[in-house]
């Protein structure tokens, strides 16, 4: 039977139970932690198995759950076992670093905007497809155990039996139900078949950093199908099978051993490192701006011979070839006393640097509308965009390569969710008017670049006079109306971002309503 796992903070139990009841009324099997099974940050195999085997994972997101380390780990476990994840947002919160990656790009159900009834219905509709999926519970699982401090060649039959007996005692199962399917080197990786309950018991013990794993040098484990290893020393989830501190301590020990052996063999009392010869850098490649012109060799005229009939030979017309466009990188200098250097080509894009008069620049390209240049300033870490009116450019603007939109991207941010529930409506009375809507996201003042900074950025390709025109629009409210005519050979389109001081959450493609 399919089931859905609900992750929430106990401080939000009342609203979480309302969602649980709404799902249950629709005949959905919901797994919710109604018992205090994580007291003292302790995990039981029931919750580990419930997350690993759920058909979908639902996070009730609030300031309470965002601050809960247990909720963080539940989200990571769900992502580790590739569970579809849905987020019910009780309030606008900054996504915590621990789960920012796992939640990036997901659509959130915005309860303050939609209200409880509509939010619950949207969640029910999202989960309904999983009700058709009936799967038998797997009776067997394979678990990968990583053992350090022993070579594979030394892991003989006796040690294998010791490991089987050890795992049987940890997982409260019979040794006869366990078998070693495979072993590989690089530390010793033992792939062991076992009952599912035993596998989840082991994973729960590892999440709880059970000290008994140290007895046989088991540093991490994972259930086959999961992507992350559980480090037994601290319960951390990580793609690496060897904890970084263990790896470096082991590596350091080997280096010390080799170093000592060198001293003994060489009979040295001091060790002088070999002198390092600096590597010469490759000479710079010089590009010639002058095209190579082939030399024409004059062919002597043939001696005329009188013939009865003179045949005219038609002159062959050469086929014109397209000349490739060669763009330049130009020198420039800041002409005004102090100018903004932004992340995008416009005054309302987020500010990256402030450049003072006289700073030398390399102009690398321009925006498609030729109003801003993408420059690298001397002594600054990265390129940014400056208004061409405020610099002196050593060359023609048209000779700079168009880089935006397309080749230069806005800095992404996953501190906040991307825009939610974006849609568009075209006016029936005037087909050239298109309204674009999305859920409002009210950020705290400290998360904006300034009190008057726009909250949203829309980058649109709009049809005007038969041509698509790139049009950035900055918005303070959660809707805009744009002019988008018919008659272009390609369809109009656009994306939307949140604009906050760390960067741009998004983009989200705008569903574009076509012309009638």
């Amino acid at each position: 039977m399919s089931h859905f796992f609900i992750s929430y903070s106990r401080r939000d139990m009342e609203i979480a139970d309302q969602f649980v009841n709404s799902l249950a009324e629709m005949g959905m099997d919901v797994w919710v932690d109604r018992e205090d099974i994580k007291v003292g940050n302790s995990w039981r195999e029931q919750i580990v198995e419930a997350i690993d085997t759920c058909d979908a994972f639902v996070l009730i997101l609030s300031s309470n759950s965002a601050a809960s380390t247990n909720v963080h780990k539940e989200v990571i476990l769900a992502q580790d076992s590739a569970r579809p994840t849905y987020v019910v947002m009780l309030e606008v919160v900054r996504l915590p670093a621990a789960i920012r990656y796992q939640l990036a790009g997901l659509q959130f159900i915005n309860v303050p905007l939609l209200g409880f009834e509509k939010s619950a219905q949207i969640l029910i509709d999202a989960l309904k497809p999983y009700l058709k999926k009936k799967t038998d519970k797997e009776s067997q699982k394979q678990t990968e155990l990583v053992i350090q401090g022993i070579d594979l060649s030394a892991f003989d039959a006796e040690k294998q039996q010791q490991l089987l007996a050890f795992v049987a005692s940890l997982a409260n199962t019979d040794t006869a139900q366990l078998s070693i399917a495979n072993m590989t080197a690089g530390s010793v990786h033992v792939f062991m078949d076992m009952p599912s309950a035993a596998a989840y018991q082991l994973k729960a013990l590892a999440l709880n950093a059970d000290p008994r794993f140290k007895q046989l040098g088991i540093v991490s484990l994972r259930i086959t199908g999961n992507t992350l290893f559980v480090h037994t020393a601290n319960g951390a989830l990580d793609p690496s099978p060897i904890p970084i501190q263990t790896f470096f301590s082991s590596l350091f020990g080997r280096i010390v051993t080799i170093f000592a052996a060198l001293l003994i063999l060489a009979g040295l009392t001091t060790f002088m490192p070999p002198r390092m010869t600096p590597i010469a850098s490759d000479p710079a490649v010089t590009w010639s701006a002058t095209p190579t012109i082939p030399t024409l060799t004059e062919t002597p005229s043939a001696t005329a011979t009188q013939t009865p009939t003179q045949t005219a030979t038609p002159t062959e017309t050469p086929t014109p070839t397209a000349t490739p466009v060669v763009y330049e990188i130009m020198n420039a200098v800041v002409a005004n006393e102090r100018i903004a250097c932004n992340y995008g080509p416009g005054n309302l894009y987020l500010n990256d640097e402030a450049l003072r008069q006289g700073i030398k620049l390399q102009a690398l390209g321009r925006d498609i509308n030729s109003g801003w240049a993408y420059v690298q300033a001397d002594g600054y870490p990265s390129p940014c965009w400056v208004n061409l009116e405020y610099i002196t450019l050593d060359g023609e603007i048209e000779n700079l390569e168009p880089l935006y939109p397309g080749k230069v991207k806005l800095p992404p941010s996953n501190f906040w969710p991307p825009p939610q529930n974006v849609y568009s409506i075209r006016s029936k009375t005037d087909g050239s008017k298109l309204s674009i809507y999305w859920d409002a996201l009210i950020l705290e003042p400290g998360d904006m670049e300034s009190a008057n900074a726009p909250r949203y950025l829309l980058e649109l390709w709009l049809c005007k006079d038969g041509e698509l025109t790139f049009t950035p629009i900055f918005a303070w409210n959660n809707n805009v109306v744009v002019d988008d005519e018919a008659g272009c050979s390609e369809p109009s389109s656009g994306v939307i971002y949140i604009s906050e001081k760390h960067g741009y959450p998004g983009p989200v493609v705008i569903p574009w309503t076509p012309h009638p």
Side-chain angles (χ1 to χ4, degrees), residues 402-409 459 461 470:
L403 297 179
Y404 198 92
K407 296 186 178 180
V408 176
K409 304 297 182 185
E459 292 190 330
W461 287 93
F470 176 67

Side-chain angles (χ1 to χ4, degrees), residues 188-353:
V188 175
H189 293 242
V190 179
F191 297 84
M192 188 178 295
D193 293 330
M194 61 184 67
S196 294
Y200 292 121
Q201 173 76 356
L202 283 180
K203 185 172 181 178
L205 290 172
L207 288 166
N208 292 330
D210 193 299
R212 289 176 290 177
F213 286 106
K214 294 179 182 178
Q215 295 176 23
L216 289 189
I218 299 173
V219 295
S220 66
L221 63 84
R222 70 173 171 183
I223 296 174
T224 300
N226 293 171
T227 57
L228 303 177
F229 288 87
V230 185
H231 292 170
T232 58
N234 55 12
L237 290 150
D238 194 273
S240 171
I242 305 297
I244 190 69
Q245 66 271 21
T246 304
F247 171 77
F248 280 113
S249 63
S250 173
L251 179 64
F252 180 74
R254 292 178 185 176
I255 292 172
V256 169
T257 303
I258 295 170
F259 182 71
L262 287 172
L263 288 177
I264 294 169
L265 291 172
L268 300 176
T269 55
T270 58
F271 180 78
M272 295 295 292
R275 183 174 179 180
M276 301 299 292
T277 303
I279 300 173
S281 58
D282 293 334
V285 178
T286 304
W287 294 91
S288 172
T290 307
T292 303
I293 303 174
T295 304
L296 301 178
T297 304
E298 185 175 351
T299 304
S301 303
T303 304
T305 303
Q306 189 174 0
T307 55
T309 307
Q310 192 171 10
T311 305
T313 304
T315 304
E316 187 175 335
T317 304
T319 303
T321 57
T323 303
V325 178
V326 178
Y327 293 111
E328 300 177 24
I329 294 177
M330 303 178 190
N331 293 323
V333 65
V334 177
N336 279 35
E337 182 178 350
R338 193 169 185 269
I339 67 172
C341 205
N342 295 343
Y343 286 117
N347 290 322
L348 292 178
Y349 283 89
L350 293 172
N351 180 252
D352 184 17
E353 302 282 359

Side-chain angles (χ1 to χ4, degrees), residues 31-58:
W31 204 104
V32 61
D33 172 18
R34 296 192 184 277
E35 299 177 14
D36 203 2
I37 66 173
K38 295 179 299 216
V39 173
N41 201 32
S42 178
W43 291 77
R44 292 195 321 197
E45 66 271 20
Q46 290 95 329
I47 194 169
V48 176
E49 180 177 5
I51 294 174
D52 196 84
T53 60
C54 71
D55 288 279
F57 179 91
V58 178

Side-chain angles (χ1 to χ4, degrees), residues 481-495:
V481 180
V482 296
D483 290 320
D484 179 47
E485 301 171 356
C488 284
S489 58
E490 295 182 31
S492 303
S493 61
V495 296

Side-chain angles (χ1 to χ4, degrees), residues 381-428:
S382 57
C384 52
W385 291 92
V386 296
N387 193 319
L388 279 163
E389 294 181 3
Y390 304 141
I391 67 172
T392 301
L393 187 66
D394 187 14
E396 296 297 326
I397 295 171
E398 290 74 17
N399 292 334
L400 291 174
E401 181 181 6
L403 297 179
Y404 198 92
K407 296 186 178 180
V408 176
K409 304 297 182 185
L410 295 176
S413 169
N414 51 13
F415 277 82
W416 297 91
Q420 304 289 309
N421 299 315
V422 183
Y423 65 98
S424 66
I425 298 175
R426 192 171 293 278
S427 171
K428 293 181 179 179

